[in-house]
Amino acid sequence: TLRADHLGCYGYAKNTSPAIDLFSSNSTVFEDAIATDVPTQPSFTSLMTGMRGIRNGVISHSPAETVPDSVPLLQERLGSKMITGGVSTLYIMKKYFARGFHYYMNPVADHPSRIQRVQAEEINSFALPWLRAHANEDFFLFVHYWDPHTPYLPPEKYRIFYDAVYNDPANHSLDDLKKTPLWYHALSWLKEINAEDVTDLNYIISLYDGEVRHTDEAFRELLEEIDALGITEDTITVFTSDHGESLGEHGFYFDHADVYQTTIHVPLIIRWPKSLPNKRVKGLVQNVDITRTLLDAAGLPT
C-alpha cells in the first residue's frame, strides 16, 4: 500500500525513506510504474502471473475468483531453475498465493486475523534467516511488508512527521470524511492510539508516513543482510508495491478502491548489478512487466 510520491526518490519532501532513497541511487528508478489491477489480490495476482485480471481470472476480492492450476505462477516457473521462498500472509486471502514456493513462511499463520497487522520485524525474522540459509544457492525470495496499510499504527519512534495540534477544533479537514460510514472504520483503530477525536487530516497522513519509515527500516536490514552475505553483486533486487493509497484526494480516504494516480502509481526500483544502469526511466511500465523481466533474466520463456 505504498504510493510512489511518499518516497524521497519520487520527490517527497519528508524523510520517509532514507534506505530506499539510497538504494535507488544505485539502481534504475522507473518513474511511471502503474499497477494494472487493484487492490491487493488482483494486483499481486497480476504480478505473479504476468497477466492482467481479465486474463488470469482475478479482478476483485471475491472468494469465488481464483487462478486455475493451468496458469503458471512466477515462483513455479522460477522454481525449475532455483530454490524459491516467500514471506507473506497472502495465503490467508487466497491459497494459490503459496503455490509453487519451495518454502512459504507466514509469520501469523497461527493468528490469521493479523493478516494486515503483521509487523515488518516479523517478516524479517523469517526472511533474514532464510537468506542466510540459501545465500550460496540460486534463489528467488518474495518478501511482503504490510505496514503502510491501514491501520496506520507505526511504533512510537516512527511518529516523527507531525508537529501541530491533531485535535484542534478549528481544523475542519476531516469534516467530509466524518459524514461517511468510512469514518467509523477509521475511528476503530484511531482509538488504539487515543486519537479518536482527531480533526486534522495531516495527522493521519503523518501516521501513514511513519509506517513508510517503518518499512524503510526493515528494507534497510534486508539490504544489509544481502551485503553481509557477499551476494549483492549477484542479486537482482526489485522494490515495488501492489498499489498506492488515497489520503483524501478526490474524496477517497485511507483506502485504495479507486484508479486515480494516488492508487495506481507505484514505486518500481530495480538494482541489477552489471546489467541495468543507474538511471531514471520515464515512460509507462506495469507490474506485469516485472514477471516477464525476471523470467527472461532466468533464461525462461515469457
Side-chain angles (χ1 to χ4, degrees):
T1 317
L2 177 57
R3 50 189 278 176
D5 65 356
H6 275 241
L7 298 175
C9 54
Y10 281 87
Y12 200 45
K14 297 178 181 178
N15 189 27
T16 57
S17 52
I20 298 166
D21 297 344
L22 180 61
F23 171 73
S24 74
S25 68
N26 296 303
S27 307
T28 299
V29 178
F30 295 89
E31 296 185 352
D32 303 304
I34 298 297
T36 62
D37 298 78
V38 296
T40 303
Q41 293 176 34
S43 185
F44 276 117
T45 304
S46 294
L47 177 67
M48 290 180 169
T49 61
M51 302 177 182
R52 293 173 181 81
I54 55 172
R55 290 190 60 212
N56 65 41
V58 178
I59 60 171
S60 73
H61 284 187
S62 167
E65 294 174 4
T66 189
V67 175
D69 291 343
S70 59
V71 175
L73 303 179
L74 175 63
Q75 59 270 19
E76 289 181 294
R77 299 285 308 285
L78 292 174
S80 66
K81 289 250 182 149
M82 63 193 71
I83 200 79
T84 60
V87 188
S88 173
T89 64
L90 286 171
Y91 171 83
I92 298 170
M93 286 183 164
K94 293 281 175 65
K95 306 309 178 193
Y96 64 78
F97 281 122
R99 198 177 91 205
F101 283 107
H102 292 114
Y103 298 84
Y104 191 84
M105 295 156 279
N106 175 6
V108 297
D110 54 337
H111 292 93
S113 63
R114 293 189 59 231
I115 178 174
Q116 296 174 338
R117 286 183 172 238
V118 62
Q119 298 287 297
E121 292 83 358
E122 295 174 282
I123 295 293
N124 276 3
S125 73
F126 284 80
L128 300 185
W130 193 93
L131 269 175
R132 296 178 199 123
H134 299 281
N136 294 323
E137 303 174 69
D138 290 338
F139 69 83
F140 168 69
L141 178 62
F142 170 67
V143 182
H144 175 205
Y145 302 112
W146 274 96
D147 302 85
H149 197 285
T150 51
Y152 313 144
L153 298 171
E156 192 70 38
K157 64 180 178 178
Y158 300 117
R159 298 178 195 174
I160 55 176
F161 299 107
Y162 188 79
D163 58 4
V165 179
Y166 76 91
N167 57 356
D168 181 356
N171 190 317
H172 298 283
S173 56
L174 286 171
D175 284 2
D176 287 343
L177 173 61
K178 289 183 177 183
K179 297 174 186 176
T180 71
L182 180 60
W183 173 247
Y184 298 100
H185 170 68
L187 184 65
S188 68
W189 56 267
L190 286 168
K191 283 182 177 179
E192 297 181 39
I193 52 174
N194 298 314
E196 60 266 37
D197 58 342
V198 62
T199 59
D200 189 0
L201 171 63
N202 285 326
Y203 173 71
I204 301 180
I205 293 174
S206 77
L207 295 175
Y208 174 84
D209 286 340
E211 292 285 31
V212 176
R213 182 63 178 265
H214 187 191
T215 305
D216 181 82
E217 180 66 14
F219 185 57
R220 179 189 63 78
E221 293 177 356
L222 193 71
L223 294 175
E224 288 180 348
E225 189 64 39
I226 293 172
D227 287 343
L229 292 167
I231 58 175
T232 300
E233 292 303 307
D234 299 311
T235 304
I236 298 170
T237 307
V238 180
F239 180 90
T240 192
S241 178
D242 57 338
H243 51 71
E245 185 84 317
S246 284
L247 299 170
E249 300 90 349
H250 307 286
F252 288 93
Y253 293 85
F254 324 132
D255 208 346
H256 31 266
D258 61 84
V259 289
Y260 288 107
Q261 276 303 91
T262 51
T263 291
I264 65 170
H265 183 209
V266 295
L268 176 59
I269 308 169
I270 302 179
R271 184 173 67 188
W272 193 325
K274 306 170 189 172
S275 295
L276 270 186
N278 302 337
K279 67 176 185 178
R280 301 183 73 91
V281 176
K282 292 184 180 294
L284 176 68
V285 295
Q286 301 166 92
N287 54 350
V288 292
D289 300 325
I290 299 171
T291 320
R292 293 174 172 81
T293 301
L294 293 179
L295 289 173
D296 189 57
L300 293 165
T302 59

